């Protein structure tokens, strides 16, 4: 029988290193364009999209993700917040979307336009920016969040990731790729170490809770300890402070 853990939304507000303060800023950026339509690609449980719709009462939104559990959670939050008539959250592959959106969110989901994560390829930033640019008209607003190197990659940092120094680019290089694809960046910033610690802790929490709720002689204890140890070591002895998350507030030009 496969192990079951509490879902990520139990311990995380967003499935990304993103504080409420930074989320406020991203919502304000999108809301300032008074969008009529907002698309969230790889939305997870669509926490940011739902906040944008609350900030822009006339807007309608669509969120797409492959993860049924995350979409179901987002749908139940939309019910609680009275947003069901303005938001469509559904399970689908976001690769082939048509344009015409006023605003688009894409955080941690550029793999939509690249090779499967298991193939350990460099992030497809350029393909993502080209696809995003095709989804909006000039003046359209895009919030893009993606992995970056915060500091030069070390062997210990890349080992638990894709094992290659070219998996990510620096924030400056990613901004250049956005400009080359037809965007003007209004702002670029990156998640703090505190946002990363909160995010990684949120993932580790499910293992900690499982271990606390099961007897020490449960046959699955060793496997769960191993999962927890691997995640903790990958972060604290590996990519902490090296892997970053860059956020770009982009205007289509
Ligand atoms: C790191 S999570 C980010 C979730 C959300 N954007 C957030 O910030 O909370 C990336 C999400 O992209 C989704 N995803 C990956 N490939 C996808 C695809 N081809 N189509 C739709 N969603 C995809 C995953 O299921 C996952 O929920």
């Amino acid at each position: 029988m496969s192990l079951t853990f509490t879902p990520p939304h139990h311990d995380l507000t967003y499935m990304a290193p993103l504080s409420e303060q930074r989320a406020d800023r991203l919502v304000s950026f999108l809301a300032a364009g008074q969008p009529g339509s907002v698309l969230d690609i790889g939305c997870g449980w669509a926490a940011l999209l739902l906040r944008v719709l609350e900030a822009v009462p006339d807007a309608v939104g669509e969120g797409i993700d492959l993860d049924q559990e995350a979409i179901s959670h987002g749908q139940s939050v939309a019910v609680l917040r009275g947003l069901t008539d303005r938001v469509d959250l559904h399970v689908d592959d976001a690769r082939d979307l048509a344009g015409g959106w006023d605003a688009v969110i894409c955080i941690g989901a550029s793999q939509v336009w690249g090779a499967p994560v298991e193939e350990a390829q460099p992030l497809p930033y350029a393909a993502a920016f080209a696809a995003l640019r095709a989804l909006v008209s000039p003046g359209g607003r895009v919030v893009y969040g993606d992995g970056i190197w915060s500091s030069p990659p070390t062997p210990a940092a890349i080992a638990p990731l894709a094992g290659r120094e070219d998996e990510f680019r620096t924030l400056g290089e990613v901004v250049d790729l956005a400009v080359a694809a037809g965007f003007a960046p209004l702002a670029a910033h990156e998640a703090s170490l505190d946002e990363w610690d909160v995010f990684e802790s949120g993932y580790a929490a499910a293992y900690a809770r499982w271990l606390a709720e099961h007897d020490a002689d449960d046959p699955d204890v060793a496997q769960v300890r191993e999962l927890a140890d691997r995640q903790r070591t990958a972060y604290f002895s590996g990519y902490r402070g090296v892997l970053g998350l860059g956020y770009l507030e982009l205007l289509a030009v």
Side-chain angles (χ1 to χ4, degrees), residues 13-18 40-48 64-68 70 90-95 105-113 117 199 203 245 247:
T13 307
Y14 305 96
M15 218 191 303
L18 179 59
D40 192 342
I41 296 172
C43 64
W45 51 90
L48 201 67
I64 300 172
D65 203 288
L66 295 173
D67 183 340
Q68 176 65 69
H90 57 101
V91 174
D92 218 333
D93 192 320
R95 186 175 289 263
I105 302 166
C106 180
I107 296 178
S110 63
Q111 74 260 32
V112 166
W113 299 283
V117 174
F199 176 59
Y203 263 103
L245 203 302
Y247 291 98

Side-chain angles (χ1 to χ4, degrees), residues 69-134:
E69 197 282 328
I71 288 290
S72 297
H73 179 60
Q75 287 168 334
S76 58
V77 175
V79 171
L80 290 174
R81 300 217 198 137
L83 291 168
T84 45
D85 57 339
R86 291 198 289 130
V87 70
D88 175 16
L89 304 179
H90 57 101
V91 174
D92 218 333
D93 192 320
R95 186 175 289 263
D96 300 312
L97 289 165
W101 298 90
D102 297 327
V104 177
I105 302 166
C106 180
I107 296 178
S110 63
Q111 74 260 32
V112 166
W113 299 283
V117 174
E118 311 77 62
E119 291 185 18
Q121 294 297 305
L123 277 203
Y125 303 102
F129 285 130
L132 292 168
R133 182 62 189 80

Side-chain angles (χ1 to χ4, degrees), residues 121-144:
Q121 294 297 305
L123 277 203
Y125 303 102
F129 285 130
L132 292 168
R133 182 62 189 80
L135 291 172
V136 290
S137 303
R141 292 180 177 231
V142 172
V143 162
Y144 180 83

Side-chain angles (χ1 to χ4, degrees), residues 14-221:
Y14 305 96
M15 218 191 303
L18 179 59
S19 63
E20 282 306 317
Q21 194 184 10
R22 197 180 307 279
D24 283 348
R25 166 184 187 126
L26 298 177
V27 170
S28 297
F29 163 68
L30 292 173
Q34 286 298 306
S37 61
V38 188
L39 171 67
D40 192 342
I41 296 172
C43 64
W45 51 90
L48 201 67
L49 172 63
L50 297 182
R51 288 196 48 190
V52 174
L53 296 180
E54 285 176 323
V56 190
D58 292 331
V60 295
E62 184 171 339
I64 300 172
D65 203 288
L66 295 173
D67 183 340
Q68 176 65 69
E69 197 282 328
I71 288 290
S72 297
H73 179 60
Q75 287 168 334
S76 58
V77 175
V79 171
L80 290 174
R81 300 217 198 137
L83 291 168
T84 45
D85 57 339
R86 291 198 289 130
V87 70
D88 175 16
L89 304 179
H90 57 101
V91 174
D92 218 333
D93 192 320
R95 186 175 289 263
D96 300 312
L97 289 165
W101 298 90
D102 297 327
V104 177
I105 302 166
C106 180
I107 296 178
S110 63
Q111 74 260 32
V112 166
W113 299 283
V117 174
E118 311 77 62
E119 291 185 18
Q121 294 297 305
L123 277 203
Y125 303 102
F129 285 130
L132 292 168
R133 182 62 189 80
L135 291 172
V136 290
S137 303
R141 292 180 177 231
V142 172
V143 162
Y144 180 83
D146 219 343
I148 55 168
W149 289 133
S150 269
S151 58
T154 59
I158 65 172
L161 299 169
R164 53 194 300 161
E165 292 187 3
D166 63 354
E167 181 177 7
F168 303 104
R169 309 286 290 269
T170 65
L171 182 59
E173 289 170 339
V174 175
V175 174
D176 286 347
L177 290 169
V179 171
F183 288 108
L186 265 186
H189 36 97
E190 71 170 286
S192 67
L193 208 49
D194 183 55
E195 285 168 290
W196 270 100
D197 288 346
V198 169
F199 176 59
E200 294 282 337
S201 299
Y203 263 103
Y207 301 135
R209 191 175 301 105
W210 191 99
L211 289 166
E213 289 170 355
H214 290 76
D215 292 336
D217 57 0
D218 186 291
D220 291 324
V221 161

